Amino acid sequence: MEVVAFSPPAEVDFDAVTEPFWMSLREGRLALQRCAHGHGFRMPPTLYCPECHSTDAEWVALSGRARLYTYTVVSLRPRDAESPVYVAALVCPEEAPDTKVFGNVVECTVDQLAVGMPLELIQAPADVDVALFRPVGGDR
Amino acid sequence: MHRAAIVGIGTTQYYRRGGSLPRTPRDMACDAIIAAAADAGIPVKAIDGFAYFSNYGGGIETGGLIESLGIPEVGFSASTTGGGGGSAGAIGLAQAAIVNGDSRYVAVVQSLQQAKSRYGAAFAQMLPTPDNSFYRSAGVGAPGQFAAMIARRHMHKFGTRREAFAEVAISTRLNASTNPAALMCEPITLDDYFASRMIADPLCKLDFCLETDGAVAMIVAAADVAKDMAQKPAYVAACKHGGDRNWGRGFMWGNMPDEYFSSSGQRSIARRLYAAADVKLEDIDVALLYDHFTPFVVMQLEDFGFCPVGEGGAFVEQGSIRLQGGSIPVNPHGGNLSEAYIIGITHVVEGVRQIRGAAANQVKGASHALVSGGPGPMPLSGLILSA
């Protein structure tokens, strides 16, 4: 079975609040915003903490390890059996198990996909902004 | 004590998307409003209020409508925010106008023409924003992809099978096959379902609603006025819209707490709806559940209390939603999946027809109908109509 290698490139936009997420990914790191007053991570990033409404927040660099929360397999051109598929996913970072991050999963076959499977962040190609993951134990 | 009722309904024919050209959305809206006024037995010019949902221009703004229809004055013009989530809730806006004394006859209107772009593709064509970049970066944008991710989680948590989604498609199509207004009339089998091409795994083409054109209008009046009018009133037992933060923007947020993630987002609406109506779950005779995607029918059955959370799959696989023999017939008109998709307003119309005893596929003796707004970014909504 064919290994999923594809992640559809898409232009992204960010503002002052969300920029650190994307800049971290460009450096190959997964970082999440967290309330400085102990109210946990939040995704997407927001200016105000939804619990205490403070704007005091910190960005925490994470290990990049995550678990697959849910996914869908999408064919770029559904009518064409030859066209590549990609895996759109929501993953839960190990350090933030109740937080979900959108991303793609590559270096796996569709049959290998299983909700709960352990994943690790890998560097996305240059000029591509996406949280890219592969199953733990893949080739470097 | 009911305060308002739906007293008139009017629709255009339904078309495959783009098939309504050269008609315009405004022309179709006027057609539906004129028909609804005639059905109600009132002059068009007696309409003095407008209520909408998912209205972002497209030719059905109030000014243009009253110019075309010669309506002399309007005391109310409002829409729920968000999208299809408010389809049932627009009736509540009309009730608010009447209860507040702003209008005597409120037209609730929706008109859709998907000629230039279709909803399935529109998301993909969107420009990047800080908000949408999170899912856009992963190649997610079309509603079906979001629905697929929620469905997959429901399958993982509860063991829900594709056969449950198939049953929703099959039952709904069977209903459409005996509805002259429906666009898709060929019954489908389980084999047809599993042969249908995948679009966003686990969802295949038969899990997706139609992309169609058309317009629908309804007239809402005060309950004490309604009882003397041309048609049997469909009383508003309760109508609620809104929602809670556990769902928020729903699948476009993705961060719903796990307990709510694989749901339709309707639990708080259901709670408020039953609390406000003098109608219990057991009294509901027919459910018009928003079926943009089959898994959301399964999840709405759970969220509106027809079965426990997690058991929706087994509930539908048992035949519970069938018109013949089901414990709660769902979408006798064929729904968004097989009759037509006008962002869910056709479900309100079917609710009215069921209460009148005039539906193409009539549930015998239907006295109470539940109508749901579309699971998506809030506000969501729900409506109970009573005879």
Side-chain angles (χ1 to χ4, degrees):
Chain A
M1 156 153 299
E2 192 188 323
V3 172
V4 177
F6 184 71
S7 162
E11 197 191 332
V12 302
D13 187 19
F14 42 82
D15 56 24
V17 173
T18 63
E19 183 176 4
F21 175 81
W22 300 107
M23 294 303 109
S24 296
L25 283 180
R26 287 184 181 175
E27 292 163 16
R29 296 204 74 83
L30 180 65
L32 288 187
Q33 184 195 43
R34 184 170 66 186
C35 173
H37 300 286
H39 295 117
F41 293 104
R42 51 197 197 244
M43 189 62 187
T46 54
L47 179 60
Y48 296 95
C49 171
E51 297 308 314
C52 68
H53 305 127
S54 167
T55 57
D56 299 330
E58 55 208 11
W59 280 90
V60 183
L62 306 180
S63 65
R65 287 186 299 276
R67 287 204 176 263
L68 185 62
Y69 183 78
T70 190
Y71 66 94
T72 181
V73 183
V74 183
S75 174
L76 257 198
R77 291 191 304 276
R79 280 171 190 76
D80 178 353
E82 302 303 313
S83 62
V85 299
Y86 63 93
V87 179
L90 278 166
V91 311
C92 296
E94 186 178 86
E95 300 89 339
D98 297 322
T99 302
K100 274 81 86 171
V101 178
F102 281 102
N104 293 133
V105 181
V106 291
E107 297 180 27
C108 69
T109 64
V110 169
D111 278 359
Q112 287 175 302
L113 293 169
V115 170
M117 72 190 291
L119 303 168
E120 59 190 12
L121 184 83
I122 59 174
Q123 176 87 51
D127 301 328
V128 180
D129 292 302
V130 66
L132 201 57
F133 294 89
R134 70 174 172 207
V136 167
D139 292 337
R140 290 218 164 263
Chain B
M1 199 64 209
H2 298 131
R3 293 176 293 173
I6 301 176
V7 298
I9 55 177
T11 80
T12 61
Q13 69 168 100
Y14 304 126
Y15 308 83
R16 299 289 170 93
R17 76 174 176 90
S20 58
L21 292 169
R23 305 181 80 177
T24 68
R26 180 181 296 153
D27 296 342
M28 292 195 288
C30 288
D31 178 347
I33 293 167
I34 291 167
D39 185 59
I42 62 168
V44 171
K45 295 185 186 185
I47 293 168
D48 57 355
F50 285 85
Y52 312 94
F53 68 98
S54 195
N55 184 331
Y56 295 95
I60 52 164
E61 78 295 340
T62 298
L65 289 174
I66 71 170
E67 286 165 20
S68 296
L69 295 169
I71 288 168
E73 188 169 10
V74 166
F76 185 91
S77 173
S79 176
T80 51
T81 59
S87 57
I91 300 297
L93 296 185
Q95 173 169 284
I98 286 159
V99 165
N100 204 44
D102 293 325
S103 303
R104 186 169 167 81
Y105 299 111
V106 182
V108 177
V109 186
Q110 186 56 273
S111 183
L112 185 60
Q113 184 175 74
Q114 296 192 62
K116 293 200 189 71
S117 70
R118 58 186 191 87
Y119 283 2
F123 278 82
Q125 290 156 11
M126 66 181 146
L127 294 174
T129 67
D131 263 356
N132 71 25
S133 289
F134 295 98
Y135 47 83
R136 197 187 136 82
S137 69
V140 184
Q145 295 163 345
F146 290 111
M149 296 175 85
I150 293 196
R152 173 61 63 190
R153 186 71 191 173
H154 200 274
M155 296 168 81
H156 167 77
K157 277 191 85 163
F158 304 121
T160 307
R161 311 190 308 161
R162 287 190 70 207
E163 282 82 348
F165 308 150
E167 166 61 12
V168 173
I170 291 165
S171 174
T172 308
R173 177 64 67 86
L174 189 61
N175 296 341
S177 72
T178 51
N179 173 5
L183 290 177
M184 300 296 282
C185 301
E186 282 287 314
I188 55 183
T189 66
L190 200 58
D191 285 344
D192 291 331
Y193 179 85
F194 281 101
S196 172
R197 69 176 167 86
M198 278 298 195
I199 299 182
D201 187 300
L203 301 188
C204 65
K205 189 165 199 288
L206 290 174
D207 290 309
F208 281 59
C209 69
L210 302 174
E211 290 174 321
T212 58
D213 299 352
V216 170
M218 290 173 283
I219 308 293
V220 180
D224 57 359
V225 167
K227 64 178 169 24
D228 298 318
M229 291 180 72
Q231 305 290 349
K232 178 179 175 184
Y235 292 102
V236 178
C239 187
K240 296 294 172 194
H241 76 266
D244 67 277
R245 190 180 180 274
N246 289 313
W247 181 255
R249 287 179 297 145
F251 41 70
M252 296 171 85
W253 181 34
N255 270 271
M256 304 79 93
D258 187 62
E259 194 194 330
Y260 297 88
F261 183 93
S262 48
S263 80
S264 72
Q266 292 275 31
R267 283 178 211 165
S268 60
I269 295 291
R271 188 190 77 240
R272 291 167 52 217
L273 196 66
Y274 290 127
D278 203 12
V279 175
K280 291 189 287 297
L281 172 67
E282 309 83 78
D283 298 328
I284 304 290
D285 300 304
V286 58
L288 297 320
L289 302 178
Y290 198 105
D291 52 342
H292 40 355
F293 305 102
T294 55
F296 280 119
V297 174
V298 172
M299 289 179 261
Q300 283 172 95
L301 287 163
E302 295 174 350
D303 289 347
F304 281 99
F306 293 104
C307 64
V309 169
E311 293 182 23
F315 185 72
V316 304
E317 286 197 59
Q318 285 159 20
S320 305
I321 65 170
R322 291 275 177 146
L323 186 60
Q324 303 299 337
S327 56
I328 179 66
V330 171
N331 297 342
H333 55 324
N336 294 329
L337 290 167
S338 290
E339 184 202 43
Y341 173 77
I342 311 292
I343 326 181
I345 199 172
T346 49
H347 292 46
V348 187
V349 170
E350 177 66 6
V352 174
R353 290 184 171 137
Q354 289 285 340
I355 295 300
R356 288 181 181 182
N361 294 316
Q362 182 63 44
V363 172
K364 275 203 174 54
S367 302
H368 303 286
L370 170 72
V371 185
S372 69
M378 62 177 298
L380 291 141
S381 60
L383 165 68
I384 297 177
L385 293 171
S386 296

